[in-house]
């Protein structure tokens, strides 16, 4: 089967290596960065193409020669790229985290007879599948609460943070209003709001805050209370709030010595080099899923935990492992005919069937990513 991967970045490259190790796949990777493609081609048996994926028509044409597409473009490109892939009539697994409603593409995907699995990362992603899996074991669900974060293993001043996926998408988490469900009503709060300190075994005390990560679960899980919170080392919230409220994340250009400059572009230029993991520097991923409700008239509580670390042997970040391997396993599910539902499928749809959950958990465990159920 011929697989096309869009993006050779922090997560795209490890996904390409994972799929290229499978004799069933011929893998081609497209990116605008020739250096990134050359580095990947030296590590794995993949074909490469240099292209700017910003033009939707070009993406649609690019997909024609392939059986399945794995999209790893930045979030701001995610919706229109997914739309272009579906327009080509090609099945797709997508990890891009975009603000638009993915179900708006469901009718097009059905018309084109396309299977489109979206948001297929750690959370949303595998965590979403486990939420659905737990919900289906209950008669009623009252509360879904998820904590998730990617962090550097070593805290280094001043930021005590490193971006383990697209840095511009990290900033988007701090800007986009957070939506969650409380007492049966949709609530919108500023990102970075409602901080709390929580102890996580193996990771220590972390601060949790509201972000817009609940995604499609607000629609697909019938529960009066659903919330997702992002995790960082204590103190991170105030630093990001200060930058945001002072306008450093703003997208409207300002005049600087006669030049029109977007504050977000300047901030990115300064921050991103400091947020880059150094050679050999490790990261970790923390995830906790809580689903509470009733079974046979009695309270029931399902909890899943994940604590994953940088793979020093392969040089793969934890975020790439937990996000990317979920997606490559979803690719295998589609390729093998294990999942063939047409239309747009959020990752929780994979949690509807026991065999799908078992396939994902087993594949992740084989790669050293282990979800533990209490």
């Amino acid at each position: 089967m011929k697989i096309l991967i869009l993006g050779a970045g922090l997560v795209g490259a490890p996904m390409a290596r994972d799929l290229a190790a499978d004799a069933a796949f011929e893998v081609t990777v497209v990116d605008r960065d020739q250096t990134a493609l050359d580095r990947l081609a030296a590590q794995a048996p993949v074909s490469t193409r240099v292209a700017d994926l910003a033009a939707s028509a070009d993406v649609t044409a690019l997909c024609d020669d392939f059986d399945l597409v794995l999209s790893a473009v930045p979030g701001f490109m995610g919706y229109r790229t997914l739309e272009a892939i579906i327009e080509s009539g090609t099945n797709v697994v997508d990890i891009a985290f975009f603000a638009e409603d993915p179900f708006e593409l469901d009718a097009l995907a059905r018309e084109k007879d396309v299977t489109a699995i979206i948001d297929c990362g750690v959370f949303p992603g595998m965590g979403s599948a486990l939420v659905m899996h737990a919900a289906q074991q209950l008669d009623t669900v009252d509360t879904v609460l998820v904590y998730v974060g990617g962090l550097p293993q070593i805290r280094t001043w001043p930021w005590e943070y490193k971006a383990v996926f697209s840095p511009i998408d990290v900033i988007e988490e701090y800007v986009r209003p957070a939506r969650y469900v409380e007492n049966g009503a949709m609530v919108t709060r500023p990102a970075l709001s409602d901080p709390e300190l929580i102890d996580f075994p193996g990771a220590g005390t972390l601060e949790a805050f509201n972000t817009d990560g609940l995604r499609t679960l607000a629609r697909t899980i019938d529960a009066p209370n659903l919330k997702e919170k992002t995790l960082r080392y204590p103190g991170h919230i105030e630093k990001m709030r200060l930058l945001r409220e002072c306008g450093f994340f703003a997208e409207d250009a300002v005049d600087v010595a006669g030049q029109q400059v977007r504050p977000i572009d300047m901030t990115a230029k300064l921050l991103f080099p400091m947020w880059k993991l150094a050679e050999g520097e490790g990261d970790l991923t923390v995830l906790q899923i809580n689903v509470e409700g009733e079974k046979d008239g009695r309270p029931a509580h399902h909890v899943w935990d994940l604590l994953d670390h940088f793979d020093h042997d392969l040089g793969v970040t934890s975020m790439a492992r937990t996000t990317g391997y979920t997606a490559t396993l979803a690719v295998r599910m589609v390729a093998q005919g294990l999942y063939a539902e047409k239309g747009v499928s959020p990752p929780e749809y994979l949690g509807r069937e026991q065999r799908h959950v078992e396939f994902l958990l087993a594949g992740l465990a084989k790669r050293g990513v282990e979800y533990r159920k209490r």
Side-chain angles (χ1 to χ4, degrees):
M1 176 175 278
K2 297 172 70 176
I3 307 292
L4 175 66
I5 299 179
L6 304 181
L10 290 170
V11 182
M15 291 194 300
R17 290 165 59 182
D18 182 70
L19 289 172
D22 192 326
F25 301 129
E26 296 177 29
V27 178
T28 298
V29 185
V30 177
D31 199 286
R32 66 180 182 179
D33 186 341
Q34 182 69 64
T35 301
L37 291 172
D38 290 344
R39 181 168 56 248
L40 175 58
Q43 299 170 338
V46 300
S47 300
T48 62
R49 296 186 192 178
V50 176
D52 188 343
L53 299 172
S56 296
D58 293 345
V59 172
T60 299
L62 191 62
C63 296
D64 287 343
D65 296 332
F66 296 90
D67 302 303
L68 192 148
V69 178
L70 177 52
S71 178
V73 301
F76 69 90
M77 296 171 55
Y79 183 87
R80 65 176 181 269
T81 301
L82 178 60
E83 183 178 31
I85 296 167
I86 293 173
E87 192 66 50
S88 75
T90 311
N91 291 334
V92 56
V93 174
D94 191 355
I95 69 167
F97 191 99
F98 48 79
E100 297 89 345
D101 180 1
F103 285 123
E104 291 183 358
L105 296 175
D106 184 62
L108 177 63
R110 293 179 185 277
E111 176 191 334
K112 296 291 184 177
D113 199 36
V114 165
T115 297
I117 303 176
I118 59 155
D119 284 347
C120 202
V122 56
F123 193 90
M126 185 64 210
S128 312
L130 292 176
V131 168
M132 178 65 80
H133 180 56
Q136 293 207 314
Q137 297 177 60
L138 300 172
D139 296 327
T140 61
V141 180
D142 177 72
T143 300
V144 174
L145 178 59
V146 178
Y147 297 102
V148 61
L151 301 161
Q153 287 183 332
I154 298 175
R155 301 174 62 175
T156 305
W157 188 87
W159 301 111
E160 300 180 291
Y161 177 72
K162 296 295 175 74
V164 287
F165 57 96
S166 171
I168 198 66
D169 288 344
V170 175
I171 290 180
E172 181 68 16
E173 286 189 338
Y174 304 149
V175 175
R176 185 189 305 161
R179 294 165 291 182
Y180 59 90
V181 180
E182 187 172 75
N183 297 322
M186 182 65 75
V187 176
T188 301
R189 296 272 288 140
L192 301 169
S193 59
D194 300 336
E196 57 180 317
L197 294 175
I198 307 174
D199 292 330
F200 291 89
T205 302
L206 303 177
E207 62 181 14
F209 52 89
N210 292 329
T211 47
D212 194 40
L214 193 60
R215 300 287 281 168
T216 52
L217 284 172
R219 190 181 309 185
T220 58
I221 298 292
D222 183 14
N225 300 287
L226 301 102
K227 182 180 287 189
E228 176 267 357
K229 285 190 155 186
T230 291
L231 300 170
R232 295 287 186 265
Y233 290 123
H236 190 78
I237 293 174
E238 277 307 305
K239 293 172 183 176
M240 294 301 104
R241 284 183 62 199
L242 181 63
L243 290 176
R244 184 185 68 191
E245 298 308 313
C246 289
F248 286 92
F249 296 156
E251 296 185 359
D252 293 334
V254 297
D255 186 276
V256 179
Q259 299 292 321
Q260 292 297 304
V261 178
R262 296 197 318 161
I264 182 63
D265 294 333
M266 183 199 72
T267 302
K269 191 72 172 178
L270 295 172
L271 271 186
F272 292 176
M274 291 186 281
W275 280 6
K276 184 177 181 181
L277 282 172
E279 185 72 28
E281 187 177 5
D283 70 316
L284 55 90
T285 304
V286 183
L287 172 66
Q288 184 181 100
I289 299 164
N290 299 272
V291 182
E292 299 181 26
E294 286 192 356
K295 178 68 175 177
D296 298 328
R298 307 176 72 174
H301 187 192
H302 293 264
V303 181
W304 289 87
D305 290 298
L306 172 71
L307 177 62
D308 187 75
H309 292 85
F310 184 88
D311 185 338
H312 288 277
D313 292 334
L314 295 178
V316 178
T317 66
S318 173
M319 185 55 65
R321 286 159 46 78
T322 56
T323 296
Y325 295 158
T326 301
T328 59
L329 288 165
V331 167
R332 289 176 169 89
M333 290 176 68
V334 176
Q336 296 173 21
L338 184 61
Y339 190 86
E341 186 168 335
K342 301 305 177 183
V344 170
S345 291
E348 56 267 28
Y349 283 10
L350 303 181
R352 289 172 168 174
E353 292 193 31
Q354 179 76 25
R355 62 185 181 133
H356 295 161
V357 175
E358 291 176 351
F359 182 93
L360 291 167
L361 288 175
L364 288 166
K366 183 178 179 181
R367 291 160 176 79
V369 179
E370 297 194 37
Y371 287 81
R372 302 185 184 278
K373 186 176 183 182
R374 297 190 207 169

